[in-house]
């Protein structure tokens, strides 16, 4: 299935891209604030890339460790209309 991208999202992404391009051009000309802004944006992007990389490593190790997904859903309380296991048993009601 193709993602649904509206014109509003495309205009927003184009605007953000144009602003980043203008700041990048100012940073190339030696603007101190523009350089610091580009470093901040680059740092945020690098953090998200590192988080995604670590997530995919954990996902691959998890898939090797647990095997198939069907086995993981076997004891799930949401898989077959069964109640979850009770940690604390219910108290006797005194009526």
């Amino acid at each position: 299935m193709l993602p649904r991208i509206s014109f509003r999202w495309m205009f927003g992404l184009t605007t953000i891209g144009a602003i980043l391009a203008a700041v990048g051009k100012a940073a190339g000309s030696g603007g101190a604030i523009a350089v610091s802004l580009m470093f901040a944006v680059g740092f945020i992007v690098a953090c998200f890339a590192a988080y995604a990389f670590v997530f995919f490593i954990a996902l691959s190790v998890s898939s090797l460790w647990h095997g198939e997904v069907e086995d993981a859903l076997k004891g799930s309380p949401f898989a077959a209309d069964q109640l979850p296991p009770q940690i604390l048993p219910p108290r006797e009601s005194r009526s």
Side-chain angles (χ1 to χ4, degrees):
M1 297 178 70
L2 295 174
R4 296 179 187 255
I5 300 174
S6 66
F7 281 112
R8 186 177 297 163
W9 275 99
M10 288 305 296
F11 288 145
L13 288 176
T14 304
T15 303
I16 291 172
I19 291 170
L20 284 176
V23 171
K25 184 176 179 182
S29 299
I33 295 175
V35 171
S36 64
L37 185 64
M38 290 304 290
F39 273 118
V41 169
F43 180 76
I44 291 169
V45 169
C47 284
F48 279 114
Y51 297 153
F53 180 69
V54 170
F55 172 77
F56 285 120
I57 288 175
L59 183 67
S60 63
V61 169
S62 174
S63 66
L64 290 174
W65 184 269
H66 290 292
E68 296 180 8
V69 176
E70 295 172 2
D71 292 339
L73 293 177
K74 192 177 245 183
S76 173
F78 306 108
D81 295 332
Q82 59 184 352
L83 293 174
Q86 293 183 350
I87 298 173
L88 297 173
R91 293 182 178 177
E92 296 289 329
S93 62
R94 298 180 194 197
S95 341

